[in-house]
Amino acid sequence: MNSPWKGKAKATNQDYDDLRPTITYRHLLSNNLGVRDPLRVIALCDSDAFYAACERVRLELDPSVPLVVQQWESLIAVSYPAREFGISRMDKIKDAKKKCPNLLAVHVATYKEGEKEPGYWKDVDTRTHKVSLDLYRRESNKIINMIKEALPTGEVEKASIDEAFIDFTRPVKEKLLERYPHLAKVPANAPNGTDSPLPPPPPIHWDDLGAVLLPERVDNAGEQSNVEVDGGPTWHDVALSIAAELMQKIREDIHSKLGYTTSAGIARNKFLAKLCASYKKPNSQTILRNEAIPDYLHPLAFQKIRFLGGKLGDALAKEYDVSTVGDLLTVSLDEIQSKFGENALWVYEFLRGIDRTEVKEKSALFKSMLASKNLPKPITQPSDGHQWIRVLAAELALRLNDARESMPTLWPKTIVLHARKGYETSRSKQATFPYVRNVTVDVIATAADKLWKELTGDAKTVNITSIQLAFTGLEMAEMGQKSIEGFFTTRDIQQQTSLKRSREEDEPLVSPENTDLFLPKSSDVEAVSFECTRCRKTIALREGQATGGPNEVAQRLATLRSEHGDFHFAQDLANSNDESVPVPRGSSSKRKKLEPKGIAKFFIRK
Ligand code: CTP
Ligand code: CA
Ligand code: CA
């Protein structure tokens, strides 16, 4: 279908009929209006030059020191004082030092073989070391936790390592009622009861609350200037100002307690909050009033908006021969959907400053943890894999144990090893991960070494360019008051322990899955068969295998159990749609590929 026109007509503010919503008592008094709440206020809080700030805090340096964080020869973070010398993330370390001879360059921490913890070593080399972002993850968690503690009724969603969305709607309503207690009761003479509009809002003192974006008008002399909105402030503006106060206080606390400066955007939804968070950086916040939305959005180059960068943005620019948000407003919903699919509704709405996505805390449980290393020099001898496996195991051990501090019963069901040759072929092996109380580097490395052996097989030489080691199926044991240790009876543990080939000191190597699957029979020591609790089949040793001492028999039976368990596990995996561990291209995974439709095809990497 060909459009008869190229969209360059002038947009009108009719696209924005909800900028001055009428706020009623019901709106103020309800806490469950969700994304359509006309009092909704969202913030995005982003840390300034985050990795650089973490290193500055760690080293207890003065904030005025020009500092960059280096990863091999590139820069991954540039402090604001260093930016004054014209240094950017694009620079190589050599050029950055030319621009600022006093520049402090800190190399990101790395793991090296044999070390349990990442460190700041003298000589780092991509051939022997692996980058560690653990410090940044920890500092990030501290910041998020401070925000959560400050807002018991707010919703906080971590959006990346250094930013979080905050839904201020509830805390703001609480503050509104605290400050204007008379609003808690609908007046007897209110014409529509709870659905009557609130009385006119009080004047707002925006001073000290950050940069306030106002509509821009072009005056007769062609100069642009900010103007006060026509109808005066609304209750939504009051809500924004309260959120701004709360945000300001939280940002000050983060700064004084942890040493990090942050920048925030405050607006009616996530999209707009994110967009205006970077309006003024560092250490500052920006408030986008509803009535400033059209003037703020129209001149923006839509391809600069995160969602509209890339292929979709290119396609839109080409199709309509335009570049700004304002230019695209003349494209009708039908038109955009017929070209880009039904889901293009969100493009249509974003362009109008509408975003219905919720701020929702992602489950505290990340389902997987992955450590990976692109090898600067391919591994050719199978025996050379071991050193990298230990390095990756050290990272996983640290991350799992960090996570266990707040979730003591967290354990990974599976350990997965991927190895890749270039971009073409990759192989992976996985196994049930044993439950152990102390997940040490050795425990992980032992499990991973076994996978490595399976993966490389009898090959005399290999050609491996990257290795990834992951825990998947991370879960918290939900056992009420019972601790995991108490869950397994001593007998179970002894039994399973004696049956496993590899043993780690005194740690019981018990697979929770197997315990769950197979109910031990009372005369288990002598048993030559077991009943699988999943398929209800009796699995028995073959005749010749049931002879010998009780220990030998028990061992054979255990092998059989574990093989049968693996069978179910493999089946479950094949049936699950768990994408938590990305399967690299060219992997042996046989999942059927569906051709993406509509807007989805713009997000597929070729
Ligand atoms: N980062 C990275 N690689 C990227 C983008 C970001 O390693 N391509 C890291 C940076 O080192 C950074 C952190 O992720 O410190 C957060 O990124 P971002 O917020 O984009 O930049 P900041 O360095 O925090 O700078 P700003 O003050 O502009 O937010
Ligand atoms: Ca940042
Ligand atoms: Ca960021």
Side-chain angles (χ1 to χ4, degrees), residues 339-404:
K339 291 226 163 70
F340 300 96
E342 288 291 302
N343 289 333
L345 174 63
W346 66 258
V347 175
Y348 180 87
E349 292 195 326
F350 273 15
L351 295 171
R352 286 155 180 81
I354 299 166
D355 175 10
R356 303 185 202 278
T357 46
E358 272 181 294
V359 174
K360 203 153 183 74
E361 184 176 5
K362 308 245 165 58
S363 156
L365 287 181
F366 18 87
K367 279 189 171 156
S368 65
M369 280 180 189
L370 184 127
S372 76
K373 173 74 190 176
N374 289 325
L375 301 165
K377 208 173 116 235
I379 294 178
T380 52
Q381 300 299 309
S383 57
D384 290 345
H386 183 71
Q387 57 157 344
W388 285 117
I389 280 177
R390 286 200 66 85
V391 166
L392 299 175
E395 177 171 352
L396 286 186
L398 186 94
R399 287 176 63 188
L400 184 68
N401 289 318
D402 267 3
R404 277 187 171 177

Side-chain angles (χ1 to χ4, degrees), residues 515-554:
T515 314
D516 199 37
L517 273 173
F518 309 116
L519 299 174
K521 285 190 175 171
S522 49
S523 58
D524 222 348
V525 184
E526 301 283 324
V528 294
S529 70
F530 62 90
E531 186 191 319
C532 171
T533 52
R534 279 192 68 176
C535 61
R536 292 280 156 203
K537 277 195 187 136
T538 300
I539 314 290
L541 288 176
R542 273 179 284 123
E543 249 176 64
Q545 295 183 313
T547 53
N551 272 344
E552 275 174 74
V553 174

Side-chain angles (χ1 to χ4, degrees), residues 550-572:
N551 272 344
E552 275 174 74
V553 174
Q555 248 182 51
R556 288 192 202 113
L557 193 61
T559 309
L560 195 63
R561 280 182 182 198
S562 116
E563 281 170 8
H564 188 75
D566 287 349
F567 155 74
H568 278 300
F569 195 68
Q571 224 175 21
D572 289 348

Side-chain angles (χ1 to χ4, degrees), residues 46-50 162-163 281:
D46 178 288
S47 298
D48 300 321
F50 186 54
D162 77 332
E163 58 200 75
K281 265 180 151 282

Side-chain angles (χ1 to χ4, degrees), residues 318-570:
K318 216 171 138 206
E319 178 71 31
Y320 300 111
D321 187 25
V322 293
S323 60
T324 69
V325 170
D327 295 337
L328 278 178
L329 287 176
T330 48
V331 184
S332 73
L333 181 58
D334 281 351
E335 161 85 19
I336 226 169
Q337 284 185 323
S338 74
K339 291 226 163 70
F340 300 96
E342 288 291 302
N343 289 333
L345 174 63
W346 66 258
V347 175
Y348 180 87
E349 292 195 326
F350 273 15
L351 295 171
R352 286 155 180 81
I354 299 166
D355 175 10
R356 303 185 202 278
T357 46
E358 272 181 294
V359 174
K360 203 153 183 74
E361 184 176 5
K362 308 245 165 58
S363 156
L365 287 181
F366 18 87
K367 279 189 171 156
S368 65
M369 280 180 189
L370 184 127
S372 76
K373 173 74 190 176
N374 289 325
L375 301 165
K377 208 173 116 235
I379 294 178
T380 52
Q381 300 299 309
S383 57
D384 290 345
H386 183 71
Q387 57 157 344
W388 285 117
I389 280 177
R390 286 200 66 85
V391 166
L392 299 175
E395 177 171 352
L396 286 186
L398 186 94
R399 287 176 63 188
L400 184 68
N401 289 318
D402 267 3
R404 277 187 171 177
E405 271 176 27
S406 54
M407 297 171 274
T409 62
L410 188 71
W411 87 68
K413 277 191 182 157
T414 314
I415 180 165
V416 188
L417 180 75
H418 284 279
R420 191 169 359 161
K421 181 192 160 198
Y423 279 95
E424 293 122 42
T425 47
S426 86
R427 301 193 60 193
S428 73
K429 286 280 174 194
Q430 58 189 27
T432 303
F433 192 73
Y435 175 76
V436 286
R437 200 179 322 198
N438 293 327
V439 179
T440 59
V441 181
D442 287 335
V443 171
I444 302 172
T446 304
D449 274 340
K450 227 181 115 198
L451 296 176
W452 176 259
K453 287 211 182 78
E454 285 175 26
L455 202 133
T456 50
D458 300 330
K460 289 263 173 342
T461 61
V462 292
N463 180 14
I464 288 168
T465 52
S466 88
I467 311 187
Q468 303 183 307
L469 188 63
F471 282 144
T472 65
L474 280 159
E475 266 177 23
M476 292 251 273
E478 280 173 33
M479 293 170 190
Q481 302 294 37
K482 270 198 216 169
S483 72
I484 273 198
E485 284 93 331
F487 179 63
F488 303 108
T489 65
T490 319
R491 203 188 50 134
D492 287 338
I493 291 172
Q494 280 167 354
Q495 217 174 56
Q496 300 257 2
T497 312
S498 68
L499 306 176
K500 289 270 174 183
R501 264 168 294 162
S502 56
R503 282 180 57 182
E504 192 58 39
E505 293 153 14
D506 297 329
E507 301 296 347
L509 275 170
V510 176
S511 153
E513 246 144 56
N514 288 347
T515 314
D516 199 37
L517 273 173
F518 309 116
L519 299 174
K521 285 190 175 171
S522 49
S523 58
D524 222 348
V525 184
E526 301 283 324
V528 294
S529 70
F530 62 90
E531 186 191 319
C532 171
T533 52
R534 279 192 68 176
C535 61
R536 292 280 156 203
K537 277 195 187 136
T538 300
I539 314 290
L541 288 176
R542 273 179 284 123
E543 249 176 64
Q545 295 183 313
T547 53
N551 272 344
E552 275 174 74
V553 174
Q555 248 182 51
R556 288 192 202 113
L557 193 61
T559 309
L560 195 63
R561 280 182 182 198
S562 116
E563 281 170 8
H564 188 75
D566 287 349
F567 155 74
H568 278 300
F569 195 68

